[in-house]
Amino acid sequence: METLLAEPLEEAKRELFRNGFLDVEVDPTLDLFAEINKLKKEKNAVVLAHYYQEPDIQDVADFIGDSLGLSQQAAKTSADMIAFAGVHFMAETAKILSPQKKVVLPDLKAGCSLADSCPSDLFDHFKSRHPGHVVIMYVNCSAEIKAMSDIICTSSNAQKVIESVPADQKIIFGPDKNLGKYLIRKTGRNMVLWEGACIVHEIFSAEKIMKLKNRHPNAKVIAHPECETQVLELADFIASTTGLLKYTINDGATEFIVATEAGIIHQMQKSSPQKTFIPAPPDNSCACNDCPFMKLNTLEKLYLSMKYELPEVSVPEDIRLKAKKSIDRMMEISAQAGL
Ligand code: 13P
Ligand code: SF4
């Protein structure tokens, strides 16, 4: 039962949380799964989680998905609050699509190296050096960059988005150069690329994957298109996280070498408990195939963010409206393609 003394304490904790002190103490005896489920009901909240989140966060989520699936869910949910267990650009995309809903991110510092590689002032200069180009940007970028773009894409729909543009139209693509190079090979379009990259997908070692393949000759290599060309050349299958998960479910192989962030293996293993999933090795001995930004979110922080409805993600209205146009275009193309 709440006591009068407990209220100022709760207010003090909320203030600490608001100011970024995320280690606000959580009662260790609490059943966080039960508490989060209770908060969902009390606040008409929904938990959306990316596949790169910790397994316990995936297990308590209402929807787990790739960037496209999460945007689609954010656009259609009837919840009053979205607790976004992912990174900042994803929560921002949810807010752009659903401005009337409160969007909270368990840790505001959960950014993205790829989004950070493309600051809006430098990109503005880049755009001005390439007049007459349509700007297609990967969703892993800030709201400001989305507002400067014509169409957004994710790894699930990038090919369709590029093919929606007339063949003689010049294109700027960013911020991921690896995905860009892959799409140039796939579509035959000659795009001008922004030179950004993801720290997680750039770390995989083609040499170590080849050695691993020698030891597991029946294993299939599956890779996310954010990986470098030499890794993609070794892959039996390349797709977004959802695409990779579906492939492991439907393909006859029983062993897979997985070249993307290791969090996805939780769902692969749950869907196919009889199959073996081997995380692709990085080119050093660190655990760099874990995204340090995604992994800033914890079950405790998710619980606190739902309880205090903080930290909230917001987007200035003028930027939101421009960014929404380029995201809406992506949604239309995806719907037409049945994605
Ligand atoms: P998808 O979820 O679209 O596969 O992208 C992976 C990723 O890097 C998200 O940051
Ligand atoms: Fe960004 Fe890479 Fe982490 Fe995805 S895995 S959020 S692209 S740093």
Side-chain angles (χ1 to χ4, degrees):
M1 201 171 79
E2 292 271 302
T3 66
L4 282 178
L5 265 179
E7 277 175 29
L9 182 63
E10 277 309 302
E11 198 40 52
K13 281 188 183 177
R14 178 194 297 274
E15 215 35 47
L16 279 173
F17 199 65
R18 188 197 307 280
N19 291 318
F21 293 96
L22 297 172
D23 294 334
V24 172
E25 207 181 307
V26 175
D27 178 352
T29 64
L30 277 184
D31 175 347
L32 289 179
F33 268 64
E35 292 298 322
I36 288 171
N37 283 325
K38 209 157 79 184
L39 287 168
K40 284 185 201 171
K41 285 203 187 91
E42 274 171 30
K43 297 181 183 241
N44 187 27
V46 69
V47 176
L48 304 184
H50 190 268
Y51 289 119
Y52 296 164
Q53 292 293 286
E54 294 286 2
D56 52 5
I57 293 184
Q58 294 189 34
D59 290 345
V60 83
D62 298 290
F63 179 83
I64 317 158
D66 66 0
S67 306
L68 178 64
L70 290 166
S71 305
Q72 288 166 333
Q73 288 296 320
K76 73 175 185 201
T77 179
S78 59
D80 294 315
M81 179 165 85
I82 298 172
F84 211 114
V87 290
H88 192 267
F89 76 81
M90 296 179 172
E92 225 175 28
T93 304
K95 186 70 185 175
I96 291 166
L97 290 166
S98 285
Q100 70 289 0
K101 285 162 201 152
K102 185 173 274 190
V103 178
V104 294
L105 182 65
D107 189 326
L108 264 192
K109 290 194 286 301
C112 167
S113 67
L114 189 48
D116 290 347
S117 75
C118 193
S120 54
D121 52 343
L122 295 185
F123 189 66
D124 194 29
H125 183 60
F126 183 76
K127 256 184 84 173
S128 64
R129 285 197 287 119
H130 300 286
H133 286 60
V134 158
V135 179
I136 301 180
M137 293 302 276
Y138 189 37
V139 70
N140 299 38
C141 62
S142 66
E144 286 83 2
I145 295 291
K146 289 185 176 79
M148 295 161 74
S149 310
D150 296 299
I151 321 178
I152 299 304
C153 69
T154 74
S155 45
S156 307
N157 58 24
Q159 190 176 341
K160 295 277 177 208
V161 168
I162 290 166
E163 286 166 355
S164 75
V165 170
D168 57 350
Q169 172 63 57
K170 292 181 194 162
I171 300 173
I172 288 176
F173 184 89
D176 189 8
K177 62 176 177 188
N178 294 319
L179 176 63
K181 285 180 198 164
Y182 168 71
L183 290 165
I184 288 173
R185 293 194 296 278
K186 276 294 250 193
T187 62
R189 301 295 289 267
N190 185 19
M191 305 188 290
V192 179
L193 301 182
W194 179 265
E195 288 280 310
C198 158
I199 50 168
V200 180
H201 289 90
E202 279 229 306
I203 203 83
F204 296 116
S205 157
E207 202 186 320
K208 286 190 186 171
I209 293 175
M210 248 144 55
K211 284 188 186 152
L212 203 54
K213 226 176 132 57
N214 287 340
R215 292 211 303 278
H216 300 268
N218 296 323
K220 286 205 168 155
V221 177
I222 56 173
H224 195 281
E226 286 175 26
C227 293
E228 289 182 324
T229 305
Q230 60 269 33
V231 168
L232 295 181
E233 278 170 353
L234 296 174
D236 296 288
F237 186 70
I238 299 166
S240 77
T241 45
T242 297
L244 295 178
L245 173 62
K246 284 188 184 156
Y247 183 77
T248 61
I249 295 169
N250 299 325
D251 191 75
T254 54
E255 262 186 310
F256 297 90
I257 297 168
V258 183
T260 191
E261 212 269 5
I264 183 77
I265 292 179
H266 181 57
Q267 291 305 320
M268 290 177 172
Q269 201 70 78
K270 266 176 104 169
S271 306
S272 307
Q274 75 289 4
K275 298 185 181 179
T276 304
F277 300 96
I278 309 163
D283 65 2
N284 53 30
S285 53
C286 72
C288 311
N289 51 2
D290 264 335
C291 172
F293 304 104
M294 287 277 182
K295 280 357 194 233
L296 280 175
N297 296 326
T298 61
L299 201 61
E300 283 79 8
K301 289 183 204 170
L302 175 61
Y303 161 70
L304 290 169
S305 67
M306 294 178 75
K307 180 175 169 176
Y308 297 131
E309 303 186 17
L310 289 168
E312 206 180 331
V313 172
S314 61
V315 181
E317 189 60 6
D318 55 335
I319 291 176
R320 190 189 74 77
L321 289 173
K322 286 187 201 153
K324 186 165 183 300
K325 260 194 189 166
S326 57
I327 300 174
D328 282 348
R329 186 70 197 112
M330 167 184 88
M331 296 296 221
E332 280 162 29
I333 296 166
S334 294
Q336 279 160 13
L339 296 170

